[in-house]
Amino acid sequence: AELYAGHVHFVLELIQNADDNSYAPEVTPTLRIRAAVEQIEFSNNERGFSEANVLALCSIGESTKAGSSGYIGNKGIGFK
């Protein structure tokens, strides 16, 4: 069985990532999606990656979200 079925699962993954991001208290979290003929652009106004976030993205099962509540992601795979 496939971990993620379907050819457009990456869209759901990117939306999930935006939802799980860290935002400054004074900011209204915003996700912007722009589609063109040969590209799709996702952008948001998150705080950005910390060193721990980058290391977690490069590993399996090393999520910085482990043990926290309020996050959608749960497989520990990240965007791989």
Side-chain angles (χ1 to χ4, degrees):
E2 292 183 33
L3 182 60
Y4 297 117
H7 297 291
V8 295
H9 184 270
F10 73 93
V11 174
L12 297 176
E13 181 71 23
L14 290 169
I15 292 169
Q16 170 191 309
N17 288 349
D19 184 62
D20 289 348
N21 286 339
S22 176
Y23 296 89
E26 69 278 2
V27 168
T28 299
T30 304
L31 171 64
R32 199 169 283 115
I33 304 171
R34 291 182 35 184
V37 175
E38 294 190 21
Q39 69 183 29
I40 301 174
E41 178 184 312
F42 288 75
S43 61
N44 64 54
N45 57 344
E46 67 160 326
R47 287 184 172 168
F49 287 127
S50 67
E51 181 179 353
N53 296 142
V54 173
L55 292 173
L57 281 170
C58 296
S59 303
I60 294 178
E62 298 294 327
S63 175
T64 55
K65 299 181 287 188
S68 300
S69 62
Y71 294 107
I72 297 171
N74 61 9
K75 294 179 180 69
I77 302 295
F79 191 75
K80 294 178 185 50

